[in-house]
Amino acid sequence: AQSVTQPDIHITVSEGASLELRCNYSYGATPYLFWYVQSPGQGLQLLLKYFSGDTLVQGIKGFEAEFKRSQSSFNLRKPSVHWSDAAEYFCAVGAAGGYNKLIFGAGTRLAVHP
Amino acid sequence: DGGITQSPKYLFRKEGQNVTLSCEQNLNHDAMYWYRQDPGQGLRLIYYSQIVNDFQKGDIAEGYSVSREKKESFPLTVTSAQKNPTAFYLCATGSGITEAFFGQGTRLTVV
Protein backbone atom coordinates (compact mmCIF):
# COMPACT_ATOMS: atom_id res chain seq x y z
CA ALA A 1 0.00 0.00 0.00
CA GLN A 2 1.10 3.53 -0.67
CA SER A 3 2.28 5.55 2.32
CA VAL A 4 4.23 8.64 3.26
CA THR A 5 6.40 9.03 6.35
CA GLN A 6 7.60 12.31 7.76
CA PRO A 7 9.93 11.25 10.60
CA ASP A 8 10.11 14.63 12.31
CA ILE A 9 6.95 15.87 14.06
CA HIS A 10 8.49 19.14 15.23
CA ILE A 11 11.60 20.99 14.08
CA THR A 12 12.98 24.24 15.45
CA VAL A 13 15.57 26.29 13.61
CA SER A 14 17.05 29.74 14.02
CA GLU A 15 16.23 32.42 11.51
CA GLY A 16 18.85 32.40 8.77
CA ALA A 17 19.80 28.78 9.33
CA SER A 18 19.36 26.11 6.69
CA LEU A 19 16.45 23.69 6.77
CA GLU A 20 15.83 20.13 5.65
CA LEU A 21 12.51 18.37 6.18
CA ARG A 22 12.49 14.65 5.54
CA CYS A 23 9.96 12.65 3.57
CA ASN A 24 10.00 8.95 2.70
CA TYR A 25 7.38 7.30 0.54
CA SER A 26 6.26 3.82 -0.34
CA TYR A 27 4.84 3.45 -3.81
CA GLY A 28 5.03 0.66 -6.38
CA ALA A 29 5.43 2.80 -9.47
CA THR A 30 6.99 6.12 -10.36
CA PRO A 31 5.51 8.49 -7.84
CA TYR A 32 4.12 11.95 -8.22
CA LEU A 33 5.45 13.83 -5.19
CA PHE A 34 4.36 17.07 -3.58
CA TRP A 35 5.19 19.37 -0.70
CA TYR A 36 2.45 21.56 0.76
CA VAL A 37 2.61 24.22 3.48
CA GLN A 38 -0.18 25.12 5.90
CA SER A 39 -0.42 28.17 8.14
CA PRO A 40 -2.57 27.82 11.27
CA GLY A 41 -6.28 27.59 10.49
CA GLN A 42 -5.70 27.79 6.75
CA GLY A 43 -5.81 25.51 3.77
CA LEU A 44 -2.79 23.95 2.09
CA GLN A 45 -0.62 25.74 -0.43
CA LEU A 46 1.51 23.87 -2.95
CA LEU A 47 5.24 24.55 -2.57
CA LEU A 48 6.55 22.28 -5.30
CA LYS A 49 5.96 19.04 -7.15
CA TYR A 50 7.90 16.32 -8.92
CA PHE A 51 6.56 14.28 -11.81
CA SER A 52 9.61 13.32 -13.85
CA GLY A 53 12.87 14.67 -15.24
CA ASP A 54 15.35 16.63 -13.17
CA THR A 55 15.37 15.21 -9.68
CA LEU A 56 16.03 18.59 -8.07
CA VAL A 57 12.91 20.72 -8.25
CA GLN A 58 12.51 24.37 -7.36
CA GLY A 59 9.43 25.74 -5.71
CA ILE A 60 7.98 28.92 -4.35
CA LYS A 61 9.34 30.91 -1.40
CA GLY A 62 12.91 29.71 -2.04
CA PHE A 63 12.22 26.02 -1.33
CA GLU A 64 13.64 23.10 -3.26
CA ALA A 65 13.34 19.33 -3.00
CA GLU A 66 15.36 16.42 -4.28
CA PHE A 67 13.89 13.13 -5.44
CA LYS A 68 16.09 10.13 -4.63
CA ARG A 69 14.59 6.95 -5.99
CA SER A 70 17.20 4.69 -4.34
CA GLN A 71 16.25 6.06 -0.92
CA SER A 72 12.52 6.54 -1.64
CA SER A 73 12.93 10.07 -0.38
CA PHE A 74 11.80 13.54 -1.35
CA ASN A 75 13.35 15.90 1.20
CA LEU A 76 12.52 19.59 1.29
CA ARG A 77 15.29 22.15 1.75
CA LYS A 78 15.77 25.86 2.15
CA PRO A 79 19.20 27.53 2.47
CA SER A 80 18.11 30.31 4.81
CA VAL A 81 14.90 30.21 6.84
CA HIS A 82 12.78 33.30 7.48
CA TRP A 83 10.48 33.79 10.47
CA SER A 84 7.51 33.69 8.07
CA ASP A 85 8.36 30.08 7.17
CA ALA A 86 6.99 28.90 10.51
CA ALA A 87 4.12 26.59 9.54
CA GLU A 88 3.24 22.95 9.08
CA TYR A 89 4.64 21.14 6.08
CA PHE A 90 3.11 18.11 4.42
CA CYS A 91 4.65 15.70 1.97
CA ALA A 92 2.25 13.84 -0.33
CA VAL A 93 2.41 11.16 -3.00
CA GLY A 94 0.02 10.91 -5.90
CA ALA A 95 -1.55 7.46 -6.11
CA ALA A 96 -3.28 6.35 -9.30
CA GLY A 97 -5.21 3.16 -9.83
CA GLY A 98 -8.98 2.96 -9.60
CA TYR A 99 -9.15 6.59 -8.67
CA ASN A 100 -6.73 9.42 -8.25
CA LYS A 101 -5.91 10.77 -4.83
CA LEU A 102 -3.11 12.24 -2.77
CA ILE A 103 -1.74 10.39 0.25
CA PHE A 104 -0.34 12.69 2.92
CA GLY A 105 2.26 12.32 5.59
CA ALA A 106 1.46 13.31 9.17
CA GLY A 107 3.20 16.65 8.76
CA THR A 108 6.20 18.44 10.28
CA ARG A 109 5.62 21.55 12.34
CA LEU A 110 8.38 24.10 11.88
CA ALA A 111 9.18 26.72 14.50
CA VAL A 112 11.63 29.54 13.74
CA HIS A 113 13.58 31.30 16.50
CA PRO A 114 14.62 34.90 15.95
CA ASP B 1 -11.35 35.18 -9.62
CA GLY B 2 -10.96 31.40 -9.72
CA GLY B 3 -10.74 29.35 -6.64
CA ILE B 4 -12.34 27.03 -4.16
CA THR B 5 -14.55 28.30 -1.34
CA GLN B 6 -15.51 26.51 1.83
CA SER B 7 -18.18 27.71 4.21
CA PRO B 8 -18.70 28.27 7.00
CA LYS B 9 -15.24 28.81 8.47
CA TYR B 10 -16.45 27.69 11.92
CA LEU B 11 -19.33 25.35 12.66
CA PHE B 12 -20.76 24.05 15.90
CA ARG B 13 -22.77 20.87 16.12
CA LYS B 14 -24.91 19.58 18.93
CA GLU B 15 -24.93 15.91 19.82
CA GLY B 16 -27.15 13.91 17.43
CA GLN B 17 -27.37 16.68 14.86
CA ASN B 18 -26.50 16.50 11.17
CA VAL B 19 -24.53 19.40 9.69
CA THR B 20 -23.52 20.20 6.13
CA LEU B 21 -20.26 21.77 5.03
CA SER B 22 -20.22 23.63 1.74
CA CYS B 23 -17.53 23.44 -0.94
CA GLU B 24 -17.77 25.37 -4.21
CA GLN B 25 -15.20 25.70 -6.99
CA ASN B 26 -14.98 27.66 -10.22
CA LEU B 27 -11.76 26.12 -11.50
CA ASN B 28 -13.70 23.79 -13.84
CA HIS B 29 -12.00 20.77 -12.29
CA ASP B 30 -13.66 17.39 -12.57
CA ALA B 31 -12.31 15.94 -9.31
CA MET B 32 -13.28 17.07 -5.83
CA TYR B 33 -12.17 15.69 -2.49
CA TRP B 34 -12.97 15.95 1.20
CA TYR B 35 -10.21 15.47 3.76
CA ARG B 36 -10.32 15.41 7.52
CA GLN B 37 -7.38 16.79 9.49
CA ASP B 38 -6.61 15.91 13.10
CA PRO B 39 -3.48 17.00 14.96
CA GLY B 40 -0.55 14.69 14.24
CA GLN B 41 -2.44 12.58 11.70
CA GLY B 42 -2.03 14.44 8.46
CA LEU B 43 -4.97 14.50 6.07
CA ARG B 44 -7.27 11.54 5.68
CA LEU B 45 -9.56 11.12 2.69
CA ILE B 46 -13.29 10.98 3.45
CA TYR B 47 -14.92 11.02 0.01
CA TYR B 48 -13.93 11.91 -3.51
CA SER B 49 -15.75 12.50 -6.77
CA GLN B 50 -14.35 12.32 -10.27
CA ILE B 51 -17.49 13.37 -12.17
CA VAL B 52 -20.97 14.71 -11.54
CA ASN B 53 -23.41 12.24 -9.98
CA ASP B 54 -20.62 9.88 -9.00
CA PHE B 55 -18.55 9.66 -5.81
CA GLN B 56 -16.55 7.08 -3.92
CA LYS B 57 -15.71 6.40 -0.30
CA GLY B 58 -12.26 7.25 0.91
CA ASP B 59 -10.45 5.83 3.90
CA ILE B 60 -12.74 7.16 6.65
CA ALA B 61 -16.21 7.54 5.08
CA GLU B 62 -18.25 6.14 7.98
CA GLY B 63 -20.58 8.76 9.45
CA TYR B 64 -20.30 11.06 6.44
CA SER B 65 -22.29 11.54 3.24
CA VAL B 66 -21.80 13.62 0.08
CA SER B 67 -23.55 14.58 -3.13
CA ARG B 68 -22.29 15.80 -6.49
CA GLU B 69 -25.24 17.22 -8.39
CA LYS B 70 -23.22 19.99 -10.01
CA LYS B 71 -19.62 20.11 -11.17
CA GLU B 72 -19.00 23.19 -9.03
CA SER B 73 -20.36 21.86 -5.74
CA PHE B 74 -19.47 18.98 -3.41
CA PRO B 75 -21.17 19.36 -0.01
CA LEU B 76 -20.25 17.12 2.91
CA THR B 77 -22.79 16.11 5.55
CA VAL B 78 -21.50 15.03 8.93
CA THR B 79 -24.19 12.77 10.32
CA SER B 80 -25.04 11.82 13.88
CA ALA B 81 -23.40 8.46 13.17
CA GLN B 82 -19.99 10.14 13.18
CA LYS B 83 -18.99 9.71 16.81
CA ASN B 84 -15.99 12.00 16.85
CA PRO B 85 -16.68 14.78 14.36
CA THR B 86 -14.59 17.54 15.92
CA ALA B 87 -11.87 18.24 13.34
CA PHE B 88 -10.69 20.54 10.58
CA TYR B 89 -12.26 19.68 7.24
CA LEU B 90 -10.59 20.52 3.95
CA CYS B 91 -12.09 20.41 0.49
CA ALA B 92 -9.88 20.15 -2.57
CA THR B 93 -10.20 20.03 -6.33
CA GLY B 94 -7.86 18.63 -8.90
CA SER B 95 -7.40 17.26 -12.34
CA GLY B 96 -6.10 13.72 -12.03
CA ILE B 97 -3.16 13.38 -9.69
CA THR B 98 -1.25 16.33 -11.01
CA GLU B 99 -1.99 18.40 -7.93
CA ALA B 100 -4.78 19.45 -5.59
CA PHE B 101 -6.06 22.93 -4.81
CA PHE B 102 -7.39 23.39 -1.30
CA GLY B 103 -10.03 25.56 0.26
CA GLN B 104 -9.47 27.43 3.52
CA GLY B 105 -11.14 24.78 5.62
CA THR B 106 -14.04 24.47 8.05
CA ARG B 107 -13.44 23.86 11.73
CA LEU B 108 -16.24 21.75 13.18
CA THR B 109 -16.73 21.53 16.93
CA VAL B 110 -19.21 19.43 18.86
CA VAL B 111 -20.84 21.32 21.72
Side-chain angles (χ1 to χ4, degrees), chain A residues 24-86:
Chain A
N24 294 98
Y25 67 89
S26 172
Y27 189 63
T30 300
Y32 292 0
L33 295 161
F34 307 83
W35 274 101
Y36 284 86
V37 61
Q38 184 183 35
S39 298
Q42 300 295 315
L44 275 67
Q45 180 184 22
L46 181 69
L47 284 175
L48 47 80
K49 58 188 177 185
Y50 171 79
F51 293 163
S52 64
D54 193 347
T55 56
L56 184 64
V57 294
Q58 303 297 321
I60 63 172
K61 305 185 180 186
F63 285 93
E64 66 178 26
E66 186 171 12
F67 170 59
K68 293 186 177 180
R69 184 186 300 276
S70 62
Q71 299 177 19
S72 297
S73 69
F74 188 57
N75 293 349
L76 181 71
R77 301 193 294 247
K78 187 170 184 178
S80 177
V81 171
H82 188 262
W83 64 267
S84 60
D85 294 324

Side-chain angles (χ1 to χ4, degrees), chain A residues 34 36 38 42 49 51 99, chain B residues 33 37 48 98-100 104:
Chain A
F34 307 83
Y36 284 86
Q38 184 183 35
Q42 300 295 315
K49 58 188 177 185
F51 293 163
Y99 61 93
Chain B
Y33 308 87
Q37 185 178 20
Y48 67 99
T98 52
E99 70 182 88
Q104 294 300 296

Side-chain angles (χ1 to χ4, degrees), chain B residues 3-110:
Chain B
I4 176 169
T5 302
Q6 290 186 240
S7 62
K9 189 172 177 64
Y10 299 97
L11 187 57
F12 297 90
R13 191 193 94 167
K14 295 180 180 179
E15 295 282 351
Q17 190 179 45
N18 292 356
V19 291
T20 297
L21 285 60
S22 171
C23 179
E24 303 278 333
Q25 58 106 354
N26 60 6
L27 298 169
N28 200 35
H29 287 163
D30 289 316
M32 296 189 75
Y33 308 87
W34 275 105
Y35 287 90
R36 170 177 171 144
Q37 185 178 20
D38 297 282
Q41 296 194 44
L43 279 71
R44 293 181 290 169
L45 184 65
I46 305 172
Y47 268 98
Y48 67 99
S49 170
Q50 299 290 353
I51 57 173
V52 173
N53 293 322
D54 185 60
F55 48 83
Q56 304 294 329
K57 293 181 179 180
D59 302 315
I60 56 165
E62 184 174 353
Y64 301 97
S65 66
V66 294
S67 62
R68 187 84 187 275
E69 297 177 359
K70 300 185 300 182
K71 188 175 185 177
E72 301 80 15
S73 179
F74 192 42
L76 173 74
T77 296
V78 184
T79 75
S80 57
Q82 172 49 243
K83 298 306 178 188
N84 184 24
T86 294
F88 191 54
Y89 291 87
L90 286 161
C91 180
T93 73
S95 52
I97 56 172
T98 52
E99 70 182 88
F101 297 86
F102 284 84
Q104 294 300 296
T106 293
R107 184 165 299 281
L108 174 63
T109 304
V110 174

